[in-house]
Amino acid sequence: MEGLKFSESLDILHTRKYPTSLITTSTTLISISNFPTKCKLGRKSLHYRITTSSASLQSTTTNQVTKNLETSGDSIRRRFLEFYASRGHKVLPSASLVPDDPTVLLTIAGMLQFKPIFLGQAPREVPRAATAQRCIRTNDVENVGRTSRHHTFFEMLGNFSFGDYFKREAIKWAWELSTKEFALPSERLWISVFEYDDEAFSIWRDEVGVPVERIKRMGEDDNFWTSGVTGPCGPCSEIYYDFHPERGNSDADLDDDNRFIEFYNLVFMQYNKMDDGSLESLKQKNIDTGLGLERMARILQKVPTNYETDLIYPIIEKVADLAMVSYAQADDHIKTSLKIIGDHMRAIVYLISDGVVPSNIGRGYIVRRLIRRVVRIGRLLGIRGDGKGNLEGAFVPEIAGKVIELSANINSDVGTRTARIYEELRREELRFVLTLERGEKLLDQLLNTALLSAQENGTAPCLSGDNAFILYDRYGFPVEITAEVAEERGVRVDMNGFDIEMEKRRQNSQEAHTVVKLSVGDVSEFTDRVPDTEFLGYDTLSTRAVIECLLVSGKREVKVSEGKDVEILLNRTPFYAESGGQIGDNGYIYVLDAESKGKAVVEIRDVQKSLGNMYVHKGTVKEGDIEEGAEVEAEVDAKLRQRAKVHHTATHLLQAALKSVIGQETAQAGSLVAFDRLRFDFNFHRPLSEHEVMETERMVNRWIGDATDLETKVMALTDAKGAGAIAMFVPLYKRPRSFPAFQQKTAFLNAKKVRVVEVPGVSMELCGGTHVCNTSDLRGFKIVSEQGIASGIRRIEAVAGEAFIDYMDVRDSHMKHLCSTLKVKAEDVRPRIESLLEELRMARNEVSALRAQVAVYKASIVASKAFSVGTTNTIRVLVENMGDLDADSLKSATEYLIDNLEDPAAVILGSCPAGGKVSLVAAFSPGVVDLGLQAGKFIGPIAKLCGGGGGGKPNFAQAGGKEPENLASALEKARTDLVAILSEKVS
C-alpha cells in the first residue's frame, strides 16, 4: 500500500489491482473490534472502515489481511527502522539523491552520507544510526526490466556503527531481523563470508547456528569492500534467500539468480589499506550494512520479481492501462517494456523532486536520458498523447501521478512538488516528441546504410561515432537509446568515435570545468596536527591569532619569504571562508613585532574551508618573512565584507520575491554572492516577463525601504525546520574547489545546532553566511539581467548597496551621453530611438528594393546568354557569375530569369558579395523537375567546391561558401554537370 497511511491502505485495499500472489480475498466485513490487537498498526490508526469484496479478496481470515499489510513495502521499511531504533540506533532521514560528495553524481548507496565519518574527515554525531536511503544507479541500466532485481531507483535500508558495535552484534541482529522480525525460514538462508574472515565464519557457525554447508567462503572480488586504492576497507558477509531449497546443498552456486537472491550485505570496516597494499587495523572499526527493500518485499510478498511487489507494480499497472494491454497476458517483450517504464518513473520523479532538471550534462543528462527512454518505449507500446484521447498531451505526467501517490512514506516532500514535477515532465516529453520522429527516420536510414555497407564489404555492421553524435546533438537521442535501437537491428555503435566527438564539444563548451585536487596534502597529517579554526567573523573583522601551518604549493613550510604565494592556517580568524555561495573575504595578515604590526605583511585574496573546519587563507607575502608559530593580526577588508553582506541578504530577499511573483514551486538551483554582484539561478520553465522582473525589483526595494532588522538565531535543526526555515545549499560558480566542499555541508546538516537568518515577515533560511543588520543597509536593488542557462534553469544577476550605486552612476552617465547626442530629454530618448530605428528600417527597405531592381536589370542583360540543351525537347540553360550581388539580390535575379525563360529551363547563378563570401542559387522550372533533377541536391556539391554547402527544394535552392577564388571553377563544374545530365535526360 505504498504511499498511503496504513489506515488508508486498509480502506482502499479492495480498490487496488495487484498480482494474484499479492491479493487476499474475503467475503466478510472486518471491523476495528475484531481486528487483531497484536497488529503493529494498532487500533488507533484504523480511522477508516475496512471493507472487502469477493472480487478483490481471496482470504477469509483477518490474519491473512494483517499478514499482507505487514509484508507491504511501507511495513518492511517501518519494521526495519523500528527494529534498530529499539537497539539504540538513531533513525536518520534519507539524504537527497543529489549528494554532497563531489566525487559522485548521484547518491548510489546508503553509506554515502556517512562517508566523511567513515574516512575520519568529520566527527560522528551519534554512535549508531539507521536509515532508509533513496538511491540511484544507472551503471547497469541495460539490465533493468530484463532481470528480476536490477533497478535504477531503489531503497537501501541500512544500520551503521561508527566505532561502536562490530561483527558479533551486526551478524546476530541481521539474523534476528531476518528470521524473527520478518519470519524468514532459517533453512532457506545462506551466508557468504570473505574467504579469510575466520571470525565472521565462526560467529555464523558457532553462535548463530548456521550449518557449515550453507556458509560459503568467497574471494576478494565478491566479499571485500574498499573505499579506493587506499583507505578504509574490510571484509563483507552477505545473507542470501534460497527460492529452491529442494535442489539440495551440494554444488550450490550463490551467483545463480534463478535460485538465490542476496538481500542483506554487512561490511566490516576494520582495516586501512596502505600504499603498498598492506592492511593495518583501524583504531575505529565501523559497520556499514544494506538491506534491499525491493528484494525483501519480493521475498515476503512471494512474487516472481521485484517488479511485482506493491512498491512498483501499481506503476506498471498504470502504464499497462495507458497502453491498453494486460501485464498478466503480455509476452516477455511487452512485460520487459512495462517493467522498464515502471522502474524509470520512480527514478525520474524522485530526481526531479530533489531538484535535478533535464539537461545535456551531468545528472541532468541522466534524468533526460531516463525520460526519453520512457517516452520512446511508451510510444512503442502504442501510447499516444496523454493516453486518454488527447493526442497533443503527454503521458509521462500521468504515470508520474501514480509514483507521487506511492511516495508519502518514501519522501513526503514529493507531494508538495507535484506541480513542478508535472510541468518538467510535460515539457520534456513534448520537446522530445517534436524531434523523435525525425530522429527515428534518420536513425533508420543510417542503420540501413550501415547494414548495406557491411553486406557489400563483408564486414560487421557499425554506426559511426559522428553519426551517433549527430543524433545526440541535433535530435536529442541519448547515445544509449541509439545503441539500443542499433542492437535491435544487429548494428554496433562506435562508442569510441562518439566519445571523441563528445570531447570536442566539451572542449568548446563554456561549461567545461576542471577538477582541482586537494591542495593541503595528506589528510591524516593535518587532521592529527592542526586544530580546527575558530571563526570569529560574525562579531569582529580583526583578531590576534597564531599561524598553525604554512603551505607553499601544497607542501608544508616552516618559513615563507617575501614574494611567494602562501596558504596560511590560523588557530582563529575573522575571515569568512567561501561557502553557501558567498565568496571568501579579502584582507591582510600582519606579523606582529614588539612595537606594532608591520614586521611582515600578507595580502589575502581568498579563504577556503577544508577538512571539515580548517580555514585556508590564500595570499602573497608582500613584505618580510613569515614563520609557523608567529603571532599575527588578521584583518578583513571591511568595505568588501560589507559588499558581500549586502549581496547575501539581497539574495534572500530576491528568492522570497520570486516565490511571491512566479510561484512557490520555484527553487534555488545555484548562487554566487560576490563583492560586485549577486548571481541567482532558479528552476523555471520560461523567461520572466518585463512586468515580473519589475514586480520582483519593486518587492525587494519595498522590503529595503521597510528598514527591517534581521534576526539571527542558533537552534536545533528540527526546530528550525518546524519554524519554516528553508535550507538552500547550492553549487558555487566561482572556481572548482581545491578541497572536498561537501564536508562543509555534511558537517552543517549533521550539527546539533544550525544558524537561521530571518527577515521577519519575508524570509527564514538556514544560512552560515554574513548578513547586514537592517534591510535599509542594502540602499537599493536592481536586476541587471535575466536569462536562461539550461533547460528549465533561469539566471538573474543583480546588484545592491555600493554596487547598486556604481551601476546606477554608470547607467546615468550613458543616459546623459545619449541625451546629449540625440539632443532630447531623458524621457524622450526611447521614442526618439524608435523613430530612428523606423527611419533606418525604411531606408534599408528602399536600398533592398533598389538592389533588387539592379539585380533584375543585370538578369535581363545576361538572359541572352542562355543556351539550349537537346534537339527535340530543348531545355534553356543559364549558368552565370553575377559579380558582387548580395544573396537577396541574387535570389531576385534568379527568380526573374526562371520566370522569363520558357519552361523547361535551369538557372545557376553565383556571386561574391563583400566580406569574402560566396552566394549560389539554383532554380529549375517544373519541366526540369519532372525529369528527376532537384535544385537542392544539385547545388550542394557545387557549394562544397567553394568551401561551403547548402540545399533547398527541388525547384529552388540556395547555398554559400567562403572561398570566392573558387567560384569560377565551381560555376564551370555546374555548367558541365548540368549539360551532361540534361543531355542524357532528353536524348
Side-chain angles (χ1 to χ4, degrees):
M1 313 303 162
E2 190 76 356
L4 297 172
K5 295 178 181 177
F6 292 107
S7 54
E8 295 172 322
S9 65
L10 288 170
D11 189 43
I12 66 160
L13 181 62
H14 68 288
T15 67
R16 295 276 181 89
K17 291 177 284 183
Y18 292 98
T20 304
S21 54
L22 288 184
I23 301 174
T24 57
T25 57
S26 176
T27 56
T28 65
L29 177 68
I30 304 173
S31 67
I32 294 177
S33 61
N34 66 21
F35 199 86
T37 56
K38 67 180 180 179
C39 174
K40 291 194 176 184
L41 299 176
R43 293 183 179 182
K44 291 183 180 180
S45 67
L46 302 177
H47 303 304
Y48 297 86
R49 197 162 64 92
I50 308 167
T51 59
T52 59
S53 69
S54 59
S56 60
L57 297 176
Q58 295 174 349
S59 173
T60 58
T61 67
T62 58
N63 285 333
Q64 285 176 300
V65 177
T66 305
K67 182 179 179 181
N68 186 57
L69 290 173
E70 286 296 282
T71 60
S72 70
D74 283 343
S75 172
I76 295 168
R77 184 191 306 109
R78 172 180 57 78
R79 292 165 66 188
F80 176 91
L81 295 176
E82 287 177 353
F83 179 89
Y84 281 104
S86 69
R87 287 154 181 77
H89 291 67
K90 175 71 173 177
V91 176
L92 298 176
S94 170
S96 169
L97 289 174
V98 179
D100 310 319
D101 188 337
T103 65
V104 291
L105 275 178
L106 296 167
T107 298
I108 58 174
M111 61 80 66
L112 195 62
Q113 64 171 305
F114 305 117
K115 180 179 172 183
I117 301 173
F118 286 140
L119 295 178
Q121 297 168 343
R124 73 177 191 181
E125 296 295 327
V126 293
R128 54 181 75 170
T131 63
Q133 177 63 52
R134 305 186 302 277
C135 300
I136 294 281
R137 291 182 190 172
T138 58
N139 57 309
D140 51 4
V141 68
E142 67 280 355
N143 290 323
V144 169
R146 292 177 168 83
T147 71
S148 63
R149 59 183 176 81
H150 280 92
H151 302 290
T152 54
F153 175 88
F154 58 94
E155 287 187 79
M156 188 61 73
L157 310 179
N159 55 289
F160 306 90
S161 168
F162 312 112
D164 188 13
Y165 64 83
F166 199 49
K167 284 185 188 178
R168 179 165 284 100
E169 294 87 345
I171 289 174
K172 287 187 174 182
W173 284 338
W175 185 259
E176 183 181 352
L177 176 78
S178 301
T179 60
K180 294 183 179 180
E181 178 64 30
F182 292 134
L184 297 181
S186 60
E187 64 273 12
R188 283 186 174 235
L189 301 185
W190 288 64
I191 307 299
S192 71
V193 297
F194 180 52
E195 56 187 335
Y196 302 123
D197 191 357
D198 295 332
E199 180 185 5
F201 187 94
S202 64
I203 294 173
W204 283 115
R205 180 192 61 193
D206 303 332
E207 300 184 36
V208 175
V210 180
V212 173
E213 60 268 22
R214 293 210 311 271
I215 307 176
K216 293 280 189 179
R217 292 182 182 266
M218 302 181 76
E220 184 174 347
D221 290 343
D222 294 306
N223 279 66
F224 197 90
W225 177 87
T226 60
S227 60
V229 178
T230 61
C233 58
C236 307
S237 185
E238 296 159 334
I239 307 178
Y240 291 77
Y241 184 81
D242 185 357
F243 289 109
H244 297 285
E246 72 278 1
R247 297 180 183 175
N249 298 340
S250 60
D251 299 325
D253 181 3
L254 294 182
D255 290 329
D256 181 359
D257 287 346
N258 292 321
R259 177 174 178 180
F260 296 103
I261 185 170
E262 173 212 334
F263 65 87
Y264 210 157
N265 183 24
L266 316 177
V267 176
F268 311 125
M269 208 178 300
Q270 64 187 97
Y271 300 116
N272 182 40
K273 192 173 185 180
M274 309 302 289
D275 290 332
D276 60 2
S278 62
L279 301 177
E280 65 175 16
S281 295
L282 289 172
K283 297 177 183 177
Q284 174 179 298
K285 297 180 179 180
N286 305 306
I287 290 293
D288 162 26
T289 79
L291 184 151
L293 175 60
E294 291 80 7
R295 298 185 181 193
M296 180 59 79
R298 173 192 173 188
I299 296 169
L300 294 180
Q301 294 173 14
K302 296 181 171 58
V303 291
T305 72
N306 295 2
Y307 294 93
E308 289 157 293
T309 66
D310 66 341
L311 295 167
I312 307 175
Y313 189 76
I315 308 168
I316 292 175
E317 195 171 47
K318 177 66 177 179
V319 182
D321 287 344
L322 292 174
M324 294 184 289
V325 298
S326 166
Y327 179 84
Q329 299 175 3
D331 60 28
D332 289 343
H333 179 74
I334 291 178
K335 280 185 177 180
T336 297
S337 297
L338 293 170
K339 288 188 285 188
I340 290 172
I341 295 179
D343 167 88
H344 286 7
M345 284 306 305
R346 295 207 302 165
I348 290 164
V349 166
Y350 288 106
L351 282 169
I352 295 177
S353 176
D354 280 355
V356 181
V357 294
S359 70
N360 280 342
I361 58 172
R363 56 181 67 98
Y365 176 65
I366 291 175
V367 73
R368 169 164 285 174
R369 167 188 170 190
L370 294 177
I371 292 172
R372 293 185 168 183
R373 207 164 185 239
V374 166
V375 173
R376 178 178 175 269
I377 293 173
R379 287 169 65 87
L380 290 175
L381 286 172
I383 305 175
R384 290 295 183 269
D386 63 359
K388 299 187 298 183
N390 178 14
L391 297 181
E392 302 300 321
F395 72 86
V396 177
E398 295 291 326
I399 307 170
K402 180 59 67 174
V403 181
I404 294 169
E405 180 184 327
L406 300 174
S407 69
N409 292 316
I410 302 174
N411 181 12
S412 58
D413 290 337
V414 174
T416 65
R417 297 163 183 163
T418 297
R420 177 158 60 90
I421 293 169
Y422 284 166
E423 181 57 28
E424 287 288 351
L425 292 175
R426 186 193 67 82
R427 186 168 56 251
E428 184 67 16
E429 178 181 345
L430 295 182
R431 180 186 290 121
F432 183 46
V433 167
L434 290 176
T435 58
L436 184 59
E437 292 183 358
R438 285 186 296 158
E440 285 176 338
K441 289 178 181 177
L442 175 59
L443 177 55
D444 187 61
Q445 293 172 2
L446 293 172
L447 292 177
N448 286 336
T449 301
L451 288 166
L452 182 62
S453 175
Q455 185 177 6
E456 292 175 349
N457 299 323
T459 58
C462 179
L463 182 68
S464 67
D466 57 345
N467 280 333
F469 184 77
I470 289 172
L471 287 161
Y472 162 80
D473 195 42
R474 296 184 188 175
Y475 297 96
F477 267 53
V479 69
E480 294 80 9
I481 288 182
T482 299
E484 284 180 15
V485 179
E487 183 181 0
E488 292 170 3
R489 299 279 301 276
V491 178
R492 181 181 65 85
V493 175
D494 178 12
M495 296 303 296
N496 288 334
F498 175 84
D499 291 340
I500 291 171
E501 295 299 320
M502 193 64 148
E503 185 59 31
K504 289 179 183 177
R505 173 172 172 170
R506 287 195 187 100
Q507 291 174 356
N508 294 330
S509 171
Q510 294 181 352
E511 295 195 31
H513 63 277
T514 347
V515 176
V516 179
K517 293 184 178 180
L518 181 67
S519 63
V520 292
D522 181 66
V523 172
S524 60
E525 176 186 352
F526 294 99
T527 54
D528 291 343
R529 301 184 186 180
V530 179
D532 285 347
T533 309
E534 180 184 4
F535 177 62
L536 307 174
Y538 292 135
D539 303 313
T540 183
L541 295 182
S542 65
T543 188
R544 293 282 181 100
V546 174
I547 296 177
E548 296 285 353
C549 180
L550 295 173
L551 299 166
V552 176
S553 300
K555 295 182 179 180
R556 194 163 187 169
E557 300 285 350
V558 175
K559 182 177 181 179
V560 181
S561 57
E562 183 176 321
K564 288 190 175 181
D565 291 336
V566 65
E567 295 178 347
I568 304 175
L569 278 68
L570 304 175
N571 65 331
R572 64 176 64 91
T573 184
F575 283 83
Y576 182 83
E578 182 173 341
S579 61
Q582 181 176 332
I583 66 174
D585 281 330
N586 288 190
Y588 291 89
I589 292 178
Y590 301 96
V591 178
L592 304 178
D593 57 19
E595 299 178 359
S596 64
K597 59 187 180 185
K599 180 180 179 182
V601 180
V602 183
E603 181 182 3
I604 301 301
R605 298 183 303 275
D606 186 26
V607 183
Q608 301 287 343
K609 194 185 293 185
S610 180
L611 304 176
N613 205 33
M614 293 182 188
Y615 284 52
V616 182
H617 305 73
K618 300 185 177 187
T620 303
V621 181
K622 292 295 185 181
E623 299 177 19
D625 299 332
I626 58 173
E627 299 180 11
E628 272 193 11
E631 187 177 9
V632 299
E633 180 81 16
E635 188 173 292
V636 174
D637 186 318
K639 290 184 178 180
L640 292 181
R641 165 68 78 83
Q642 179 65 16
R643 282 174 169 256
K645 288 164 61 176
V646 161
H647 282 136
H648 207 148
T649 303
T651 300
H652 286 209
L653 298 182
L654 171 60
Q655 177 170 244
L658 284 170
K659 286 182 175 292
S660 177
V661 172
I662 63 176
Q664 292 294 322
E665 284 299 316
T666 188
Q668 186 172 357
S671 173
L672 171 66
V673 176
F675 304 131
D676 60 338
R677 71 196 186 285
L678 68 88
R679 191 157 65 203
F680 185 82
D681 296 349
F682 57 99
N683 296 323
F684 204 54
H685 61 278
R686 61 169 175 81
L688 269 62
S689 67
E690 184 177 351
H691 171 75
E692 288 168 334
V693 172
M694 292 178 64
E695 183 58 29
T696 301
E697 279 185 351
R698 289 193 193 102
M699 193 169 287
V700 174
N701 282 308
R702 184 166 67 248
W703 291 329
I704 292 172
D706 290 342
T708 303
D709 287 334
L710 274 72
E711 297 179 4
T712 302
K713 305 172 186 176
V714 177
M715 62 178 73
L717 178 60
T718 53
D719 293 340
K721 289 186 175 180
I726 301 172
M728 288 297 180
F729 301 99
V730 295
L732 311 180
Y733 291 106
K734 192 181 176 196
R735 54 190 169 278
R737 302 280 63 79
S738 59
F739 57 89
F742 73 92
Q743 294 169 8
Q744 303 169 23
K745 175 178 169 184
T746 301
F748 186 55
L749 279 175
N750 290 337
K752 295 179 181 178
K753 300 291 184 179
V754 294
R755 187 168 181 265
V756 177
V757 176
E758 181 180 8
V759 183
V762 178
S763 76
M764 180 187 291
E765 296 190 21
L766 275 63
C767 182
T770 61
H771 290 270
V772 299
C773 297
N774 187 285
T775 57
S776 63
D777 294 339
L778 271 63
R779 304 174 71 179
F781 174 84
K782 184 69 178 175
I783 293 177
V784 176
S785 66
E786 189 277 333
Q787 60 183 330
I789 59 169
S791 176
I793 301 291
R794 309 296 301 174
R795 170 174 291 173
I796 282 178
E797 293 202 4
V799 289
E802 286 296 322
F804 167 78
I805 301 300
D806 294 343
Y807 177 79
M808 296 309 295
D809 284 346
V810 172
R811 291 275 294 246
D812 184 60
S813 175
H814 290 324
M815 179 58 74
K816 287 178 179 177
H817 180 72
L818 276 173
C819 291
S820 174
T821 301
L822 298 174
K823 296 181 171 34
V824 295
K825 297 178 181 179
E827 58 268 26
D828 294 328
V829 167
R830 181 171 178 174
R832 178 59 179 144
I833 290 176
E834 289 175 349
S835 174
L836 290 172
L837 288 174
E838 179 60 21
E839 291 175 12
L840 179 60
R841 185 186 67 80
M842 293 176 63
R844 284 176 172 171
N845 287 342
E846 290 177 4
V847 170
S848 180
L850 289 171
R851 285 178 175 172
Q853 292 176 16
V854 171
V856 169
Y857 175 72
K858 286 187 174 183
S860 66
I861 295 175
V862 301
S864 60
K865 296 183 179 181
F867 58 92
S868 298
V869 175
T871 53
T872 54
N873 298 320
T874 59
I875 300 173
R876 301 291 288 168
V877 174
L878 179 63
V879 180
E880 193 66 29
N881 188 332
M882 300 297 287
D884 60 356
L885 288 184
D886 60 76
D888 289 339
S889 298
L890 194 66
K891 178 183 176 183
S892 298
T894 308
E895 289 172 343
Y896 169 83
L897 289 167
I898 205 67
D899 288 342
N900 285 273
L901 291 174
E902 186 176 344
D903 186 28
V907 176
I908 308 290
L909 298 183
S911 67
C912 295
K917 296 180 180 180
V918 174
S919 291
L920 289 164
V921 180
F924 295 164
S925 71
V928 174
V929 174
D930 290 343
L931 292 174
L933 273 74
Q934 295 187 22
K937 291 184 177 180
F938 184 84
I939 200 67
I942 303 303
K944 285 185 178 180
L945 298 176
C946 297
K953 299 178 180 179
N955 65 319
F956 193 90
Q958 290 181 279
K962 51 189 177 182
E963 298 173 2
E965 65 274 12
N966 295 334
L967 177 59
S969 58
L971 289 175
E972 185 59 36
K973 169 72 170 171
R975 180 182 289 106
T976 302
D977 290 352
L978 192 57
V979 169
I981 295 171
L982 290 175
S983 297
E984 183 180 349
K985 294 288 185 181
V986 297
S987 60

